[in-house]
Amino acid sequence: MRLAVVLRYIGIIMLLNAAFMLLSAGISLINNTDSGFYPLMLSFVLTSILGVFPLIFVRKNDRINMKEAYAIVVGAWLTACIVGTFPYLLWGGEFSWPTAWFESVSGFTTTGSTALADVEALPKGLLFWRSSTHWLGGVGVVMFVLVVLPTVGRTKMTLSSVELSPMAKENYRYKTQKVIYILLSVYLGLTVLETICLKIAGMGWFDAINHAFSTVSTGGFSTKNASIAYYNSLAIEIIIMIFMLMSGLHFGLIFATLVGKRNNIFRNEVSRFYFATFLISGLLITFSLWHAGMYGSFFESLRYSLFQTAAVITTTGFATADTTLWTSLAIMLLLYLMFQCACAGSTSGGIKSDRVWLALKAIRLRILRQQHPNAVIRIKMNGVPQDNSVINFAMFFIVIYIMIICAGTIIVSATGEDLMTSFSLVATSMGNVGPGFGSIGSMSNYSEISSFVKIFSTIFMLLGRLEIFGLFQLFLMKWWR
Amino acid sequence: MNIRKKIMLGFLCLGAMLAFSGMISTFQLRRLSRNTENLLNSSIKSIAVSKAMLDVSQEQNTSLLHMIVLGQTEFDSTFTASRIAFGKALKNAASMAESNAKGLDSIYTARDNYYELIDSFFHTPGEKDIEWFMQMYGSSYMALTSAIKNYMVASQHITLSKAESLERYAYRAIIPGIITLCVAILLIIVFAFMMETYYIRPVERMTKGLDSLLKHRFPYNVEVEGNDEIARLNDQLEELAALARDRIKE
């Protein structure tokens, strides 16, 4: 592995981060040079120098191998998370080293959990940087590099196979370069459209942009302590809910739907399964809340339950209600959705609806084979027969995902946290969702959680974001043949 | 880009980073020192002003005692002078009491009550005796001195709360230095790695290749990436080796 080449690509990603730091400093400057200006400018200078340094020595290199690609992707995530802490640390306030690291990782992995007790105390420049980390992380740092870099061919193909879920890659059926442009245009388009819709619904430009960044990246950082509940506006909630659901879809499918392709979101099995899960869970929660008399009317129960269901299944994590107070059925359904999450090819985390759907089909296949031992039956997704290796990997992924969550829960509960907090903390971090239950509910934050648990949960955020094996491979690279 | 430029740029990056960090830390440290100085000055000033007010109150008290008990009317002028001095001290306190307005208000109230009592004494001096001094005047005087002491304590509390902001300034002075230092250390490691990869190892390989050629007549076959002076030197050595091989064959 050529470490110098890896450093060059990571350097380019650092420059991209630096550009967003400069943009955030510009926001500070517009807002009467608020207290975020100097930390953001200093972070910009430091990150720029870090980014430029490898470019001085290492020549442009188009051909990178799989090992290098993994190192670039994982290295880029980790480095972005490290430089992402600079503005927070330099600003001070509530940010200690663990809090800044937690906030940065939560931002770049699009988890959206916050360790801040008072988000509104942050200057606007820093709030913008916080949302930018979501936006940058959402589209995938490497994805940016692929568009920014005028490189060709194999470089892009190798990198995308790491960054995207392997199943999403199967689904695209476009050349990698085209895939990148499709992803970026859908991503940008959704961001712009949501900003305009939120502005029309009554949000200020600043809040609209920040919330659009958080929604499209399925992150969940808000500029308000009470998240979306602060606005108490049905129009805003509906807009955000629609965009959350859209952002949980395969971006390639959104594009296919827009250009009138046959394989669109209405015909695709996975997106139908995803919508069905959302609707069934949402309605079950509605009835449960209505029956328990949690809210005044059926309509109110429907309003809060659909929004929270969308926020959890898409791994965005915005809040309009305190879900910790909900019924056991509602909490259990939301916990399940934390595992399943949205579709591969979106910016959401978790196991992904694709794998769950495939697992359900595999279970059906097992039953059918027991009934008809000599029958030749194959699992098909959208009419395409699936290879055994794909099915085995999906099953293996689900098993290891659950095992990691169990192990994590044991460790977190050993620190003194209650069972619900420990379990939901690990599950929400691993699924990049954001809020959990217990002391980290949708209306709470991680400010009371110990520094050890904060840092520990960032490992799960990174594991979830890099689909578990992405992070593992970095440490096993020495033995990788 | 040639080697000299690359190395120069590398050092320039490191230098710029350290200089920038130094500038920021110096700026923040100067700010910290200025704020500390202001805080100490305001603390000293508030103590001095409170002490002056207590001293002149004491003077007024003594003068009045002389006038009532011993009948020494010449203390009238001493009392007037003390009253003027109290006014000045109070004015000084008012000029620096934006954050302790509440404490100052209590002094104003206590002072007004105190002087109202004193004025009644000067209007009808014969009617006031030691009993009046002990009871009526005594409580008013105590109220005034208590207000001054409370003001002094409150001012110190405010100074203490301001001292907490010094911690923030100190943090801001130290953090850029720590972060920049960490980044600089990282850059030094990367710089050393780049030097090793792009300059030291190729030169070592070329030396080894030349050694093999000269000692064992092995063909010179060294690959060097890039298009800088080292890569060109390697190309020229290859040509030289080929030339030497041709000569030997002839």
Side-chain angles (χ1 to χ4, degrees):
Chain A
M1 190 176 71
R2 295 161 301 167
L3 192 58
V5 176
V6 173
L7 287 176
R8 181 189 161 86
Y9 278 88
I10 293 175
I12 291 164
I13 294 158
M14 289 307 99
L15 288 179
L16 192 73
N17 276 291
F20 270 84
M21 282 171 183
L22 188 64
L23 198 65
S24 307
I27 302 277
S28 280
L29 199 65
I30 294 166
N31 288 288
N32 303 318
T33 321
D34 64 30
S35 59
F37 179 73
Y38 140 76
L40 284 162
M41 273 311 284
L42 181 57
S43 307
F44 161 71
V45 173
L46 291 176
T47 313
S48 301
I49 294 175
L50 258 179
V52 162
F53 205 74
L55 303 185
I56 298 170
F57 297 96
V58 191
R59 282 196 313 156
K60 199 173 98 176
N61 203 312
D62 294 341
R63 301 189 74 81
I64 54 169
N65 60 40
M66 196 65 181
K67 225 171 166 179
E68 287 162 354
Y70 261 101
I72 290 168
V73 171
V74 183
W77 280 105
L78 293 176
T79 325
C81 290
I82 292 167
V83 298
T85 62
F86 292 173
Y88 301 142
L89 286 171
L90 291 166
W91 185 73
E94 274 190 72
F95 290 109
S96 58
W97 291 90
T99 312
W101 169 252
F102 180 89
E103 206 73 6
S104 180
V105 177
S106 175
F108 279 107
T109 56
T110 75
T111 306
S113 313
T114 183
L116 300 174
D118 187 10
V119 171
E120 287 165 44
L122 295 185
K124 284 195 169 176
L126 219 55
L127 280 173
F128 185 79
W129 166 246
R130 203 162 153 263
S131 306
S132 301
T133 57
H134 265 343
W135 203 75
L136 282 167
V139 81
V141 179
V142 176
M143 201 67 77
F144 274 116
V145 172
L146 294 173
V147 177
V148 173
L149 276 177
T151 52
V152 286
R154 272 191 57 182
T155 309
K156 286 171 183 157
M157 185 58 85
T158 320
L159 282 174
S160 74
S161 65
V162 183
E163 186 73 13
L164 296 174
S165 159
M167 299 188 67
K169 198 183 62 177
E170 290 293 320
N171 290 343
Y172 275 119
R173 299 184 195 179
Y174 294 112
K175 281 183 181 171
T176 314
Q177 196 169 358
K178 198 176 173 187
V179 168
I180 293 153
Y181 284 115
I182 289 168
L183 278 179
L184 201 68
S185 25
V186 171
Y187 197 74
L188 268 171
L190 285 174
T191 310
V192 173
L193 198 64
E194 192 189 342
T195 306
I196 294 166
C197 290
L198 288 174
K199 175 66 191 155
I200 293 166
M203 252 191 206
W205 278 115
F206 181 76
D207 282 359
I209 293 169
N210 278 287
H211 284 98
F213 273 16
S214 291
T215 313
V216 178
S217 62
T218 65
F221 279 159
S222 175
T223 52
K224 305 291 176 197
N225 289 328
S227 192
I228 306 303
Y230 169 88
Y231 299 98
N232 193 22
S233 157
L234 184 64
I236 287 174
E237 284 169 33
I238 290 172
I239 291 166
I240 290 180
M241 192 172 73
I242 292 169
F243 278 92
M244 280 195 294
L245 288 170
M246 279 166 73
S247 306
L249 282 165
H250 191 309
F251 283 180
L253 276 177
I254 297 176
F255 178 79
T257 312
L258 290 174
V259 296
K261 295 254 180 192
R262 204 167 163 270
N263 184 21
N264 54 42
I265 53 172
F266 306 108
R267 294 175 69 94
N268 186 277
E269 275 182 38
V270 178
S271 57
R272 275 155 62 175
F273 172 65
Y274 159 66
F275 279 125
T277 315
F278 162 70
L279 277 174
I280 294 166
S281 310
L283 288 173
L284 278 172
I285 293 171
T286 305
F287 282 112
S288 168
L289 297 181
W290 185 48
H291 185 257
M294 295 282 299
Y295 297 102
S297 64
F298 178 79
F299 172 73
E300 257 190 289
S301 304
L302 185 75
R303 172 183 172 181
Y304 293 121
S305 68
L306 284 188
F307 187 90
Q308 287 307 136
T309 309
V312 174
I313 196 172
T314 61
T315 75
T316 311
F318 280 138
T320 54
D322 191 353
T323 51
T324 50
L325 306 172
W326 284 9
T327 58
S328 304
L329 174 69
I331 291 174
M332 281 314 293
L333 279 167
L334 289 177
L335 275 174
Y336 164 72
L337 296 178
M338 262 181 205
F339 281 78
Q340 182 188 308
C341 302
C343 306
S346 69
T347 51
S348 67
I351 291 174
K352 305 249 170 30
S353 295
D354 308 53
R355 290 198 183 98
V356 176
W357 184 233
L358 200 61
L360 289 174
K361 286 197 164 197
I363 293 166
R364 184 175 160 268
L365 179 78
R366 175 62 53 196
I367 295 166
L368 282 174
R369 277 202 180 141
Q370 278 179 343
Q371 291 170 342
H372 312 284
N374 298 324
V376 179
I377 315 163
R378 291 199 69 180
I379 292 176
K380 286 182 181 176
M381 288 270 273
N382 299 309
V384 181
Q386 295 295 307
D387 198 62
N388 272 344
S389 63
V390 175
I391 300 158
N392 289 341
F393 183 79
M395 301 299 276
F396 177 65
F397 186 91
I398 294 170
V399 170
I400 201 155
Y401 190 95
I402 293 166
M403 279 171 68
I404 289 171
I405 287 177
C406 290
T409 306
I410 293 167
I411 295 169
V412 175
S413 59
T415 65
E417 297 293 342
D418 62 87
L419 183 65
M420 186 51 119
T421 306
S422 310
F423 178 68
S424 64
L425 183 141
V426 180
T428 201
S429 302
M430 191 84 175
N432 301 132
V433 180
F437 294 98
S439 61
I440 49 156
S442 54
M443 285 293 163
S444 315
N445 51 61
Y446 285 62
S447 59
E448 298 299 319
I449 299 289
S450 70
S451 297
F452 168 76
V453 176
K454 273 182 204 157
I455 293 168
F456 189 62
S457 61
T458 59
I459 298 169
F460 294 101
M461 291 179 196
L462 285 164
L463 270 175
R465 183 77 248 181
L466 293 165
E467 302 241 326
I468 301 173
F469 300 101
L471 196 62
F472 279 170
Q473 293 292 8
L474 188 76
F475 302 105
L476 302 172
M477 206 158 265
K478 200 176 168 187
W479 298 277
W480 192 1
R481 293 281 175 271
Chain B
M1 202 187 289
N2 62 32
I3 296 174
R4 184 179 290 171
K5 274 186 188 167
K6 281 181 183 176
I7 293 174
M8 280 294 283
L9 263 172
F11 278 117
L12 208 68
C13 281
L14 279 170
M17 182 162 286
L18 290 172
F20 196 68
S21 141
M23 267 164 55
I24 297 287
S25 290
T26 309
F27 169 74
Q28 289 292 340
L29 281 171
R30 281 191 67 179
R31 203 166 147 185
L32 176 71
S33 133
R34 212 169 38 239
N35 281 304
T36 313
E37 199 181 326
N38 288 344
L39 202 67
L40 286 174
N41 278 340
S42 99
S43 171
I44 291 166
K45 239 179 171 178
S46 87
I47 292 170
V49 161
S50 307
K51 188 181 172 289
M53 282 194 286
L54 282 172
D55 286 349
V56 289
S57 301
Q58 177 72 37
E59 263 178 43
Q60 289 178 82
N61 187 42
T62 315
S63 307
L64 209 66
L65 195 67
H66 277 280
M67 282 191 279
I68 291 172
V69 179
L70 303 170
Q72 295 169 330
T73 47
E74 66 271 21
F75 274 90
D76 184 12
S77 57
T78 317
F79 186 88
T80 315
S82 302
R83 190 168 174 163
I84 293 165
F86 188 85
K88 272 185 186 171
L90 198 57
K91 208 174 171 184
N92 275 342
S95 68
M96 47 168 288
E98 319 103 32
S99 50
N100 192 9
K102 208 178 158 188
L104 206 63
D105 280 348
S106 344
I107 297 179
Y108 276 125
T109 315
R111 181 206 60 177
D112 291 345
N113 293 336
Y114 178 74
Y115 282 132
E116 204 178 314
L117 211 66
I118 297 295
D119 289 342
S120 76
F121 165 75
F122 281 112
H123 283 306
T124 52
E127 290 174 14
K128 315 294 182 211
D129 53 8
I130 188 74
E131 202 176 322
W132 173 85
F133 183 84
M134 294 302 285
Q135 286 176 0
M136 299 287 284
Y137 170 82
S139 59
S140 179
Y141 174 72
M142 284 299 284
L144 179 66
T145 49
S146 296
I148 296 167
K149 282 172 191 169
N150 286 343
Y151 166 81
M152 191 159 68
V153 173
S155 297
Q156 290 311 302
H157 275 295
I158 290 166
T159 308
L160 193 71
S161 68
K162 277 185 183 168
E164 282 166 15
S165 69
L166 288 180
E167 202 180 325
R168 201 172 64 241
Y169 287 124
Y171 174 86
R172 286 197 171 168
I174 295 164
I175 284 291
I178 293 175
I179 291 178
T180 317
L181 209 67
C182 292
V183 173
I185 290 168
L186 187 73
L187 284 189
I188 289 167
I189 295 167
V190 174
F191 193 45
F193 170 75
M194 295 296 180
M195 289 298 210
E196 172 82 14
T197 310
Y198 288 99
Y199 307 121
I200 297 169
R201 270 192 223 153
V203 170
E204 278 176 355
R205 282 206 305 272
M206 282 155 60
T207 316
K208 225 173 176 180
L210 270 181
D211 267 354
S212 306
L213 173 75
L214 294 173
K215 284 181 187 161
H216 312 292
R217 296 287 185 263
F218 285 164
Y220 181 82
N221 192 15
V222 176
E223 273 187 35
V224 174
E225 270 185 54
N227 55 359
D228 55 18
E229 286 90 334
I230 293 187
R232 284 206 296 279
L233 179 68
N234 186 52
D235 293 342
Q236 284 162 352
L237 280 176
E238 263 179 19
E239 278 176 34
L240 202 69
L243 207 70
R245 201 174 52 234
D246 292 345
R247 282 277 171 88
I248 290 164
K249 273 184 188 171
E250 279 171 19

